[in-house]
Amino acid sequence: MVTTTAARGRRRMVNGMAPPHPAVRGLKGIVLALCCAVVIVPFLSVVATSLADQEQITRAGGYVLWPQDPTFDAYAAIFRGGVVTRATLVSIGVTLVGSLLSVAVVALLAYSLSRPGSFGSRPVLMLVLVTLLFNAGMIPNYLLIKQLGLIDSWWALILPPLVSAFQVIIVRAFFLEVPKEIVDAARIDGAGELQILTRIMLPLSKAVLAVVALFQAVAYWSAFFNALLYLNSTEKWPLQLVLRTYVVDNAAIGTDLPGEVVPPQQSLQMAILVVSLVPILLVYPFLQKHFAKGVVIGAVKG
C-alpha cells in the first residue's frame, strides 16, 4: 500500500514539482489563446483586405476578416506599376549584403576582443560598451554620412547599422566559453588566428551567428528612417519607405492594369504591407531551430 501511494506521488510530480491545477492550466490556455488572437487576427485582416473588392471593404467598415470571391488584382497592380518591384529588390539586396557584412564584422571584432593579450582589446571593448549608453545623434550621423560621400547611396543604408554592440558582446561571450585547450591544440598544430577563427570558432558558433544574422536581417528589412534621411532619389527607396509613403502618408498608388479594373486603394495598401511581411516570415522558420539556443549563449557562465 505504501509503495502504491509513493508511485502515485511520483507520477504526480513533473520535474520535481507538482503539476498545476486543471483550472490554472485552463486559464493559461485562455490567456495564450487571447495573446495569439491579438497577433493573428490583425494579420489575417490585412491579408483578407488585400484580397477583397471595394464592396466588401465598404460593407466591413474598412477591414475584412474573411473575403468573399478573393481576387489578386491588388498584387498584380502593385507589381505591374514597377515601384514596389524595384523597392522589393532594393530591400532584398540591402538586407542580404548588410546581414552578411554585419555577421562577418561582428565575428571578427568579437573574436579579437575575446583573445587575451590582443593589442588594444581593452580600450576597444570600452568603446563598444560606451556605444550601448550613448549615441551621436541624428545630425552628427548625417554630417558624417555626408562627409563620407554616401548621401543618395545604398551604402548609407548598410554601413550605419553594420555593427551592434550588444551582438558583439554576445558573440564575444560565446568565444570566451570555447575551451582553451581546443585553441591551444590548434596553435600547436601550427594554426594561425585566422585559421582558428574560420575552422574552429565559426563552426562552433553557428547558433549564435544565426541569431545575429536574423536580428540584423530584421533590422535592415524594417528600417526606413535612414532611407528617408540619406536617399534623395525615389528609385533607390527600399520597400519600407514605399510602404510608409503609401500606407502611413496615404499617398495614391498608381495602377497599370488593363481595362477598367482598378483595385480599391485600401486593398493596394494592404497588399504592399503583406509583401513587406512575407520575406521575414519565410526566413524565420529556417533560423528558428538556432534561435532558442543562440539567444541564451553567453548568458550563463560555467
Side-chain angles (χ1 to χ4, degrees), residues 36-48 63-65 270 273:
C36 292
V38 169
V39 176
I40 294 175
V41 171
F43 178 73
L44 293 179
S45 177
V46 168
V47 175
Y63 291 96
V64 181
L65 288 178
M270 296 302 104
L273 183 56

Side-chain angles (χ1 to χ4, degrees), residues 38-62:
V38 169
V39 176
I40 294 175
V41 171
F43 178 73
L44 293 179
S45 177
V46 168
V47 175
T49 305
S50 70
L51 300 174
D53 55 25
Q54 185 62 61
E55 181 182 354
Q56 296 179 60
I57 294 175
T58 303
R59 188 168 60 248

Side-chain angles (χ1 to χ4, degrees), residues 253-268:
I253 303 174
T255 61
D256 192 22
L257 286 175
E260 298 181 356
V261 178
V262 179
Q265 193 72 10
Q266 194 159 1
S267 293
L268 295 171

Side-chain angles (χ1 to χ4, degrees), residues 127-149:
L127 288 176
V128 171
L129 293 175
V130 166
T131 61
L132 290 173
L133 304 176
F134 302 100
N135 191 298
M138 181 176 65
I139 295 177
N141 284 332
Y142 181 85
L143 295 176
L144 176 62
I145 296 297
K146 184 177 180 180
Q147 289 296 322
L148 293 175

